[in-house]
Amino acid sequence: MKVLVMGGSRFVGLHAVLELEKHGHEVTVFNRGQTPLPLEFPPSVRRVYGDRHDLEGMTELFRNEEFDAVVDVSAYFLADVESMVKIFKGRIGHYVFMCTPAIYDLPQRLPLREDNKLKGPEWPAEDYGRNKAICEAYLTQQFRENGFPWSSIRLPIIMGPYNTAKQREQLMFHRLLQGRPILIPGDGSTVLHSNYIPDMAVGMRKMLLNPLTFGQAYNAAMQEYWSDESWVDAVAEVVGVTPNKIFMPHDVTTDAYKEWGYQPIQRTQAGRIPWYKSCVFDIQKYQDHVGHRQEHTLKGALAETYDWFRRDGVDKTFEWDFSKEDATLAKLK
């Protein structure tokens, strides 16, 4: 199968490329060529360069190109998906749009299903989830009116080797290796739901040209979910240390979410859910249509990610400004 990956040089796209190439697909990667690769692509992976916001240039570049499928990791705004439809309508068998649960409005029930209300234009124009929801709405319209064969993968909090979001598992590895106190929101019982990107890439590959998935959006996540405290314990077990856990009272945690600029423990949430409420996702439709289940447990995923963290020397170069966490610790004392 000939597959075009829009993006592909960073985290999610990188794992998609590696998974497709490993299984013998003919992969072309399109990006600007400005992001250094964390590792070299296999020689069989072809790279083409351009600006996806240049519709005329993109149209000319792909005028004589043929692909069975397009996997789009770098579409964030309506114009991004509009150009894909204009260029590839009637010319590809499948278009896979990488999305996010940030498109959801406040959950109507848990686990959160794909038919939950999505964010609308009333949300701020700069809202990441709102813009992804607008993209999905347009693709849905194109599928109904023109049969454009699209699918969407909504990824909860993502983790794995080459993660560009340092504030997630890498930051927790670093805290533990430095012997720092681990600040846990509230009583640590709020639940987080993760996705391991190498497993996501397997599911994405299994989706391609699967007609059951056309016009469908999927929550793609692990079968298991963990409380904040148990997640810290799992990371500490992988690192091989005993965590010094400090539980932050409700008011201190609320201040931390406002003041730090990053979450004490990364957790995917939809809408404006407060930090003390859990958000888990229904993945039954994904399992039924795609026939894929996560191949790693959370501990297995953490172990592989920590192996990469040490093997690539990230543990030697990782830096973080802990001044805001130290200020919270001082407040607690």
Side-chain angles (χ1 to χ4, degrees):
M1 188 186 307
K2 295 183 67 174
V3 184
L4 170 66
V5 178
M6 299 293 293
S9 60
R10 303 177 69 186
F11 193 34
V12 176
L14 175 64
H15 282 283
V17 169
L18 296 177
E19 174 67 18
L20 290 166
E21 191 278 337
K22 182 173 69 175
H23 286 267
H25 297 292
E26 188 176 336
V27 183
T28 296
V29 174
F30 172 89
N31 54 39
R32 295 173 300 169
Q34 297 177 355
T35 301
L37 294 174
L39 78 170
E40 290 299 319
F41 284 139
S44 62
V45 174
R46 172 180 170 234
R47 298 190 72 184
V48 295
Y49 303 100
D51 180 356
R52 73 172 299 153
H53 302 117
D54 176 10
L55 178 58
E56 182 177 343
M58 289 265 290
T59 302
E60 182 61 31
L61 177 64
F62 293 120
R63 185 178 303 280
N64 298 314
E65 295 277 359
E66 294 183 359
F67 301 102
D68 298 297
V70 175
V71 177
D72 199 341
V73 184
S74 60
Y76 299 101
F77 299 97
L78 177 59
D80 297 336
V81 293
E82 285 179 330
S83 63
M84 292 290 97
V85 173
K86 288 176 182 177
I87 293 169
F88 292 112
K89 184 168 65 177
R91 298 178 53 205
I92 58 171
H94 201 178
Y95 174 78
V96 176
F97 175 65
M98 289 297 175
C99 199
T100 168
I103 69 172
Y104 290 120
D105 208 325
L106 287 169
Q108 295 157 328
R109 70 175 187 178
L110 293 179
L112 199 156
R113 291 176 31 163
E114 290 88 349
D115 58 2
N116 190 90
K117 180 183 176 183
L118 305 185
K119 291 177 178 177
E122 69 276 7
W123 284 71
E126 67 275 9
D127 185 271
Y128 169 64
R130 172 242 197 209
N131 290 312
K132 285 281 194 176
I134 290 173
C135 290
E136 277 204 7
Y138 171 77
L139 291 168
T140 298
Q141 178 187 15
Q142 290 300 310
F143 175 72
R144 291 172 177 170
E145 295 179 358
N146 304 307
F148 187 72
W150 78 285
S151 303
S152 176
I153 307 177
R154 299 170 182 169
L155 301 172
I157 201 76
I158 52 179
M159 55 176 290
Y162 310 109
N163 196 345
T164 52
K166 294 173 56 179
Q167 72 275 19
R168 295 179 183 169
E169 68 274 15
Q170 293 178 45
L171 178 55
M172 191 58 69
F173 293 152
H174 184 64
R175 287 191 187 104
L176 292 164
L177 288 171
Q178 297 296 313
R180 289 190 57 84
I182 307 301
L183 290 162
I184 298 178
D187 64 0
S189 64
T190 307
V191 169
L192 58 88
H193 201 174
S194 300
N195 186 296
Y196 186 46
I197 288 302
D199 282 353
M200 179 286 306
V202 176
M204 174 276 303
R205 174 178 57 80
K206 292 180 177 180
M207 286 179 65
L208 295 182
L209 299 186
N210 176 352
L212 281 177
T213 69
F214 292 174
Q216 299 291 328
Y218 298 97
N219 295 327
M222 292 181 169
Q223 284 80 245
E224 55 185 338
Y225 28 87
W226 295 61
S227 70
D228 286 346
E229 182 182 13
S230 62
W231 185 80
V232 169
D233 289 338
V235 181
E237 181 180 333
V238 165
V239 175
V241 302
T242 300
N244 174 19
K245 295 182 289 188
I246 297 178
F247 296 88
M248 297 185 289
H250 190 286
D251 59 332
V252 176
T253 304
T254 299
D255 289 344
Y257 271 81
K258 293 177 182 177
E259 295 167 0
W260 288 15
Y262 58 97
Q263 297 179 12
I265 293 180
Q266 287 289 299
R267 187 189 307 122
T268 292
Q269 295 176 327
R272 296 187 177 95
I273 303 175
W275 64 264
Y276 49 85
K277 289 191 176 181
S278 301
C279 188
V280 296
F281 301 91
D282 187 336
I283 58 174
Q284 190 63 52
K285 185 172 78 163
Y286 176 68
Q287 293 177 339
D288 290 346
H289 289 194
V290 181
H292 175 66
R293 296 170 65 89
Q294 292 278 147
E295 298 176 356
H296 292 76
T297 63
L298 177 69
K299 286 185 179 179
L302 286 169
E304 285 193 354
T305 306
Y306 186 60
D307 285 345
W308 158 79
F309 186 74
R310 300 294 295 274
R311 184 180 65 250
D312 277 25
V314 183
D315 59 325
K316 302 294 193 302
T317 60
F318 192 97
E319 295 181 351
W320 195 264
D321 180 1
F322 285 111
S323 59
K324 293 180 179 178
E325 293 187 30
D326 289 337
T328 299
L329 284 164
K331 182 186 300 185
L332 288 169
K333 290 178 181 178

